[in-house]
Amino acid sequence: MQTYMCLVCGYVYDEELGDLEAGIEPGTRWADISASWRCPNCGAGKEDFKMVEI
């Protein structure tokens, strides 16, 4: 599992945790998330995220 950080606001998407508020189940890979998904904190697009190690 990997983590991706929003370069705009610092929100971290963790594949292990998903994003339940957006209906993304735990274990959902980054590549499987729709391109229309937006950062829940600032609204940035997937293109504004970078894979990071935590």
Side-chain angles (χ1 to χ4, degrees), residues 13 22-24 28-39 44-47 49:
Y13 173 78
I24 300 172
T28 302
R29 300 272 182 200
W30 182 250
D32 295 331
I33 295 174
S34 168
S36 64
W37 179 83
R38 310 302 279 176
C39 175
K46 281 183 71 177
E47 66 277 3
F49 280 71

Side-chain angles (χ1 to χ4, degrees), residues 1-6 10-20 22-33 37-40 46 49-52 54:
M1 296 269 127
Q2 297 176 328
T3 54
Y4 294 82
M5 184 176 72
C6 177
Y11 169 83
V12 174
Y13 173 78
D14 186 333
E15 291 179 332
E16 196 169 315
L17 302 176
D19 181 2
L20 293 176
I24 300 172
E25 294 293 322
T28 302
R29 300 272 182 200
W30 182 250
D32 295 331
I33 295 174
W37 179 83
R38 310 302 279 176
C39 175
K46 281 183 71 177
F49 280 71
K50 177 181 176 185
M51 187 177 65
V52 295
I54 295 180

